[in-house]
Amino acid sequence: QIRGSRDDHGVLLRSVLIGPFSCPAKHSKCNDTVFPYECMCILYFFEKIHFLLLTLSSTIHPSSFREMVECFTQIAEDPDCRVVVVSGAGDVFTAGIDLMDMASEVLQPEGDDMARTSWNMRRIIAKYQETFSVIERCPKPVVVAVQGACVGGGVDLITACDIRLCTQDAWFQVKEVDIGLAADVGTLQRLPKVIGSRSLVNELALTARKMYADEAKESGLVSRVFPDKEAMLAGALEMAGEIAGRSPVAVQGTKVNLIYSRDHSVAEGLNYMATWNMSMLQTEDVMKSAAASMEKKSPKTITFSKL
């Protein structure tokens, strides 16, 4: 479990940073080496807020794959964290995966014959897929804030998140066909379920053309567009605070059932929901929330137990 310390403004936080870019918050405690992440900075905000701001480097390095799994596995089990906000550190959200760093592993997989080489290649691809699947499996809602370019692996990442926001200068590109491969770590599986138009998904994936912010909002890839990065982060953090102020039993149960229902029939989803809530309704959070509603109080005024 991660513990925070107070900053100059009295907000409880812990900053974690090791690696190739500077913490955008310029916080004095960014030399903490408890979690040796090379490609991300983490700020925990505790007390009544309970959300985490995760800032990524602008390129997805090989170490990013391991670190993302480690980070979100820990977040999933951390009762102090209720919501995650993911943002990019630079002027762009991400330029995609660093192909040069991955070339030796992907282009020359080990194996004594074709079967063993193929088996090892499958293992490598599955490892990369887990990088983004772990975000989707995390029961804590994940809000992603995109500025500038979001290319290749960036689309894999954001489609695994629950809420997507962007700046007016943002653009998105399923780049893989331009480098001679089919996207294989999540975009082709998740993007069709995010965007309603199969034709548009096919167009983006087959032509590698750029989609800009207005079209992204119109298609449903993002839900809100902000004029700049500062306004977007402020909006994302405000949204995270709203979500974190609700019952974690209700919030996490909602995410789990939304994802289950997406991948199953209505009948199956209803059956799963009934089974889920036959136990989850037996929580003090229901009575606390009902009492606050009757008193015209915000759910954020309620102290919910950790989950």
Side-chain angles (χ1 to χ4, degrees), residues 44-210:
Y44 272 82
F45 298 79
F46 292 130
E47 294 186 310
K48 288 290 289 182
I49 307 178
H50 295 287
F51 63 76
L52 175 152
L53 173 61
L54 172 62
T55 305
L56 306 176
S57 67
S58 58
T59 302
I60 301 175
H61 299 275
S63 56
S64 303
F65 295 100
R66 170 182 53 80
E67 292 175 358
M68 196 77 75
V69 173
E70 292 176 358
C71 180
F72 274 92
T73 298
Q74 183 170 4
I75 289 169
E77 299 175 354
D78 185 352
D80 284 314
C81 179
R82 296 183 183 175
V83 188
V84 182
V85 176
V86 178
S87 69
D91 294 331
V92 302
F93 180 72
T94 178
I97 295 172
D98 190 329
L99 295 176
M100 295 304 295
D101 283 349
M102 295 173 55
S104 60
E105 183 177 39
V106 173
L107 300 181
Q108 297 177 320
E110 297 178 354
D112 293 335
D113 55 26
M114 181 63 70
R116 289 169 175 81
T117 300
S118 298
W119 189 268
N120 284 329
M121 176 60 78
R122 189 182 192 281
R123 176 182 53 79
I124 292 168
I125 295 171
K127 178 182 69 175
Y128 292 155
Q129 290 174 343
E130 178 65 9
T131 303
F132 306 112
S133 294
V134 72
I135 300 174
E136 185 176 75
R137 282 201 313 274
C138 176
K140 318 299 173 66
V142 181
V143 180
V144 63
V146 179
Q147 79 283 358
C150 179
V151 179
V155 180
D156 295 309
L157 191 156
I158 68 169
T159 52
C161 297
D162 303 297
I163 299 172
R164 290 166 292 278
L165 314 175
C166 76
T167 55
Q168 190 63 57
D169 68 349
W171 52 274
F172 307 85
Q173 186 177 26
V174 184
K175 183 70 172 174
E176 282 79 357
V177 291
D178 276 356
I179 55 174
L181 58 90
D184 57 2
V185 292
T187 289
L188 300 186
Q189 292 69 41
R190 295 189 177 98
L191 189 60
K193 297 183 178 184
V194 171
I195 295 178
S197 170
R198 173 71 66 166
S199 178
L200 178 58
V201 171
N202 292 347
E203 178 188 342
L204 295 171
L206 294 172
T207 67
R209 77 163 176 87
K210 297 177 181 178

Side-chain angles (χ1 to χ4, degrees), residues 251-263 268-277 280:
V251 168
Q252 294 179 41
T254 296
K255 172 172 178 173
V256 168
N257 279 275
L258 281 170
I259 292 175
Y260 184 91
S261 295
R262 180 197 66 186
D263 298 332
E268 290 170 324
L270 287 170
N271 183 61
Y272 189 83
M273 186 77 250
T275 304
W276 182 276
N277 260 4
M280 292 299 107

Side-chain angles (χ1 to χ4, degrees), residues 240-302:
E242 289 293 326
I243 296 170
R246 270 65 183 177
S247 159
V249 173
V251 168
Q252 294 179 41
T254 296
K255 172 172 178 173
V256 168
N257 279 275
L258 281 170
I259 292 175
Y260 184 91
S261 295
R262 180 197 66 186
D263 298 332
H264 295 80
S265 69
V266 172
E268 290 170 324
L270 287 170
N271 183 61
Y272 189 83
M273 186 77 250
T275 304
W276 182 276
N277 260 4
M278 73 182 187
S279 57
M280 292 299 107
L281 284 176
Q282 300 181 60
T283 172
E284 62 181 11
D285 294 8
V286 173
M287 295 304 296
K288 286 183 176 181
S289 299
S293 178
M294 292 176 66
E295 296 173 8
K296 309 297 184 184
K297 293 181 179 179
S298 168
K300 292 188 291 183
T301 64
I302 306 170

Side-chain angles (χ1 to χ4, degrees), residues 35-46:
F35 300 99
Y37 294 139
E38 297 179 3
C39 301
M40 61 183 73
C41 171
I42 300 177
L43 297 175
Y44 272 82
F45 298 79
F46 292 130

